[in-house]
Amino acid sequence: MLLSLALVLLVSLAASRAMKDAETLQSEMFPPTHPNCTQSLTDYLLLRQELQLSKMAAAEEERTQLTRENLQVLTQVRDTLSQVSEALTQRNQASGRSAAETRRTCDPPFSSVGDSCLLLNLRLKEDWASARQFCVGKGADLARFSDAAGYAAILDYINKINSQDEMTDVWVGGTDEALEGTWLWVTGELMPQGPPFWGSSDGYKAAPDGGSSQNCAGLYKRDNYYLHDFRCNGAAAPLCQK
Ligand SMILES: [Ca+2]
């Protein structure tokens, strides 16, 4: 009987201790609810939402700043392109005006060649002085050129006029009549010397090579219209220029 009572007492004590341990464990794992628990959770959620909104606002501000910078760069590019385009337009306009200004308006039978007016009369074959007089009568003079471009333009004109390829030489306005060996244009300017202006006789002897017997300059058809010194009383066609 006593043993039974002791056993019941022990069982009761063990059960009581087990219940106490369970309560302790529960209080440690699940702290008691604070009186303001609901309010704290709301504050926390609001604070977290506020932080998220703040981050989103910062990111949006960063994107806005980036967009603003991109816009500035694009504006600068547009302004630069606009300036380049304007400069090109002005240069093209100036170039067009320059080309138009250097091209003379010529009355027939003269033709506009470069910055001058030319007239070649292949039907007229006379000495140098008469040819010059013919040109003066047209308000012009025998032709001159100062550089390869001018010479090339004259050759181009002559070849167009002489499309039939007549063996006719052409007088130009150069002479060394005043001082042998010193070739001057009728304007008093020095004629260009050597290639690509002057030709050669028989392919080896460079013109001018006629000495004091040949004092007038002409374009020699048989030498592809290179410059040669001719006898001034020879017959050639006048090339007039004004
Ligand atoms: Ca001479």
Side-chain angles (χ1 to χ4, degrees):
M1 184 66 181
L2 276 174
L3 185 61
S4 298
L5 283 171
L7 190 60
V8 168
L9 187 60
L10 280 173
V11 169
S12 297
L13 283 171
S16 173
R17 173 162 291 186
M19 285 180 66
K20 199 164 187 175
D21 289 346
E23 286 173 358
T24 303
L25 184 62
Q26 185 180 15
S27 69
E28 287 176 354
M29 290 184 66
F30 304 101
T33 305
H34 191 276
N36 292 328
C37 178
T38 304
Q39 183 63 42
S40 296
L41 182 59
T42 304
D43 290 347
Y44 168 73
L45 291 173
L46 284 172
L47 180 61
R48 194 174 69 172
Q49 192 171 23
E50 190 177 338
L51 282 171
Q52 286 177 336
L53 287 172
S54 176
K55 286 180 181 175
M56 288 171 65
E60 183 63 27
E61 175 62 26
E62 192 175 347
R63 279 197 296 272
T64 304
Q65 180 64 25
L66 196 59
T67 303
R68 197 176 293 124
E69 289 174 359
N70 285 340
L71 185 62
Q72 286 178 344
V73 170
L74 288 173
T75 302
Q76 289 175 350
V77 169
R78 184 201 61 189
D79 291 346
T80 303
L81 287 174
S82 179
Q83 290 171 359
V84 169
S85 174
E86 189 177 352
L88 282 173
T89 301
Q90 289 177 350
R91 195 180 70 176
N92 288 337
Q93 287 175 344
S95 175
R97 280 198 302 272
S98 176
E101 285 164 1
T102 56
R103 197 159 181 84
R104 290 271 302 276
T105 300
C106 305
D107 296 326
F110 284 85
S111 298
S112 178
V113 179
D115 59 352
S116 66
C117 301
L118 292 181
L119 170 62
L120 174 61
N121 190 337
L122 285 173
R123 293 187 300 275
L124 202 59
K125 295 170 188 173
E126 50 192 3
D127 60 63
W128 186 87
S130 300
R132 189 180 181 197
Q133 199 55 46
F134 168 80
C135 293
V136 171
K138 298 283 184 186
D141 207 333
L142 287 172
R144 292 86 57 199
F145 49 85
S146 57
D147 54 29
Y151 178 40
I154 283 178
L155 290 181
D156 186 51
Y157 168 74
I158 292 174
N159 284 316
K160 282 179 183 169
I161 297 296
N162 190 15
S163 58
Q164 301 300 313
D165 210 25
E166 287 182 31
M167 287 296 116
T168 303
D169 303 324
V170 175
W171 286 127
V172 294
T175 175
D176 73 337
E177 189 77 50
L179 181 62
E180 175 57 35
T182 300
W183 286 87
L184 301 173
W185 291 122
V186 289
T187 57
E189 297 168 292
L190 278 173
M191 292 180 68
Q193 299 179 342
F197 311 101
W198 292 85
S200 59
S201 300
D202 301 327
Y204 67 94
K205 194 171 183 183
D209 60 351
S212 57
S213 64
Q214 299 183 6
N215 297 333
C216 288
L219 303 177
Y220 191 27
K221 170 59 180 167
R222 286 170 176 75
D223 192 21
N224 299 309
Y225 287 127
Y226 277 106
L227 270 173
H228 279 254
D229 49 340
F230 294 130
R231 294 181 182 278
C232 293
N233 60 2
L239 176 62
C240 307
Q241 181 185 51
K242 65 177 179 180

